[in-house]
Amino acid sequence: MPLNYPKYAVLLGAAAVLTAFSGCGERAPAQTSAERDVFAMDTFMTMKAYGSGAETALEEAQQRIKQLEDELSVTSEDSDIFRINNAGGEAVEVSADAVTLIGSGVSYWNETSGALEISVYPVLAEWGFTTGNYKIPEPERLKALLANVDSGKIEVNGSSVRIPEESKIDLGALAKGYTGDEIMDICRENGVTSAIISLGGNVQTLGKKPDGSEWRVAVKDPFAPDTNMCVLSVSDRAVVTSGNYERYFTGDDGRDYWHIIDPKDGYPADNGLVSVTVIGESGLRCDALSTALFVAGTDAAESYLREHTDVDAVLVTDDDRLLYTVGIADKLDNISGKSAEVIARD
Ligand code: AMP
Ligand code: MG
């Protein structure tokens, strides 16, 4: 399954989502609007908001993104996460945002039987995903690193966090979802009732489009990420995708290795899914679940989705089938040639 698409195609695709579907280029209603592009968290972010508070909202949103990046970055030496990772096993006082996200990480680790594992970072680093110096690790090395991968050993007490000396955490799987929720809140506080933001694979929408119709959010085809596979009509929803095409390298053995790791064996998760899109009210929940369900694989994802009806999802299997939950059946426009099957709920 070669996936040799250049990285820039993915970035351009992300920008195209908003251009094509947020109303740009259409006959705009006579209403104030504001737009802002930000590069943060290793991601091109695009925000568009409508209404008299739009400009202020996006200014505040930009500052909040910067604050969250400063707190949550795994590499910047002043960040909460860097301080936790380099505390030599001691407890560290951190921001309320870090406490919330680490607490959520541990909850989702529980809820997804360990599929979401924020302490998988040393394994990710061994593969070179943190630096771009990619390599296929020795199996023995992975085994040794996995001995210290265990969210059950993360302690959160009030505003302090402690992890074992040998462990390291990273919030890459859920930080953008939380950031999206914070931006939506800032928009609401400023009286904005209509907005859409795209933070890489995370799209979040507030209300409907100014013309009263639903936002149309495109989801990429993981087998051809410069092409859209389906379009979802949504309002007040986060649409978050985890895909194997987002960051990967081709090894000397000719195989592709991607950035979402199965904590069970330390290898890129290869359990039947190549793309998972989760649709729901909370960006944080959708982000955590998109990663976790990708790791969990087809069968476990389907059974999770049958039981948890507060979220919907679109899955793409490694044999190129599209599966979607019944809750979004009338919101999904399949523009690919893929066969589509409904995940039913009783
Ligand atoms: P996402 O794009 O939201 O699916 O997040 C993927 C990112 O989460 C990766 O780039 C890693 O930084 C991190 N990650 C990889 N595997 C896992 C995992 N099993 N649990 C938690 N985070 C992970
Ligand atoms: Mg995620």
Side-chain angles (χ1 to χ4, degrees):
M1 182 197 53
L3 275 172
N4 295 318
Y5 298 94
K7 202 171 176 185
Y8 65 81
V10 177
L11 299 173
L12 290 176
V17 172
L18 287 193
T19 316
F21 298 110
S22 67
C24 307
E26 293 170 14
R27 195 175 291 272
Q31 192 180 20
T32 323
S33 70
E35 260 183 285
R36 211 165 268 229
D37 297 339
V38 179
F39 184 77
M41 302 180 180
D42 228 3
T43 305
F44 287 107
M45 304 183 170
T46 316
M47 304 185 278
K48 180 146 193 173
Y50 296 84
S52 55
E55 191 62 50
T56 313
L58 296 193
E59 173 60 30
E60 285 179 23
Q62 186 167 353
Q63 288 169 17
R64 184 76 172 115
I65 292 167
K66 171 89 177 66
Q67 180 191 17
L68 288 169
E69 181 173 46
D70 289 347
E71 290 170 352
L72 305 174
S73 157
V74 72
T75 47
S76 109
E77 297 196 1
D78 296 329
S79 81
D80 292 335
I81 304 307
F82 189 92
R83 289 187 304 109
I84 292 168
N85 286 344
N86 293 279
E90 299 296 320
V92 174
E93 288 290 314
V94 295
S95 65
D97 296 313
V99 167
T100 302
L101 278 168
I102 294 166
S104 293
V106 176
S107 301
Y108 279 105
W109 171 78
N110 264 310
E111 191 178 329
T112 63
S113 308
L116 190 88
E117 175 48 272
I118 59 172
S119 72
V120 84
Y121 185 76
V123 175
L124 206 70
E126 187 67 19
W127 282 94
F129 285 110
T130 54
T131 57
N133 297 325
Y134 301 120
K135 67 159 192 277
I136 303 171
E138 293 299 325
E140 287 309 309
R141 179 81 185 128
L142 284 180
K143 219 171 141 194
L145 290 171
L146 283 173
N148 296 313
V149 172
D150 182 0
S151 283
K153 293 189 178 147
I154 299 172
E155 293 171 22
V156 182
N157 280 314
S159 58
S160 93
V161 177
R162 201 180 79 80
I163 62 171
E165 189 173 1
E166 311 75 28
S167 298
K168 284 194 172 16
I169 59 170
D170 137 65
L171 301 172
L174 61 183
K176 280 189 274 165
Y178 178 73
T179 304
D181 291 338
E182 292 296 296
I183 298 170
M184 295 288 103
D185 279 351
I186 290 168
C187 285
R188 279 187 209 99
E189 283 159 17
N190 282 284
V192 170
T193 52
S194 176
I196 184 164
I197 61 172
S198 173
L199 319 179
N202 295 43
V203 175
Q204 291 195 219
T205 62
L206 178 64
K208 293 186 174 167
K209 284 165 69 173
D211 68 4
S213 64
E214 292 191 300
W215 300 102
R216 289 172 56 74
V217 179
V219 181
K220 291 180 207 304
D221 183 343
F223 290 96
D226 49 350
T227 313
N228 293 325
M229 152 182 96
C230 65
V231 182
L232 298 164
S233 299
V234 292
S235 51
D236 285 316
R237 286 288 179 281
V239 179
V240 181
T241 301
S242 292
N244 69 346
Y245 56 89
E246 283 170 339
R247 193 173 305 167
Y248 69 93
F249 71 97
T250 306
D252 293 339
D253 58 1
R255 295 185 58 171
D256 289 338
Y257 295 94
W258 46 86
H259 66 129
I260 303 177
I261 303 290
D262 189 338
K264 284 204 176 89
D265 61 9
Y267 283 82
D270 195 9
N271 299 315
L273 296 175
V274 290
S275 168
V276 174
T277 300
V278 180
I279 305 108
E281 283 180 18
S282 156
L284 172 57
R285 179 159 169 73
C286 292
D287 203 353
L289 287 179
S290 67
T291 311
L293 298 183
F294 186 104
V295 172
T298 320
D299 295 345
E302 283 195 58
S303 65
Y304 184 95
L305 291 165
R306 284 203 179 90
E307 281 166 27
H308 298 84
T309 54
D310 67 306
V311 287
D312 280 295
V314 181
L315 315 177
V316 182
T317 61
D318 55 13
D319 56 358
D320 208 10
R321 287 173 303 128
L322 196 150
L323 312 174
Y324 60 94
T325 51
V326 64
I328 44 151
D330 59 349
K331 304 284 183 190
L332 182 143
D333 188 3
N334 177 10
I335 54 174
S336 71
K338 300 181 201 304
S339 74
E341 296 162 36
V342 180
I343 301 171
R345 287 162 166 160
D346 303 326

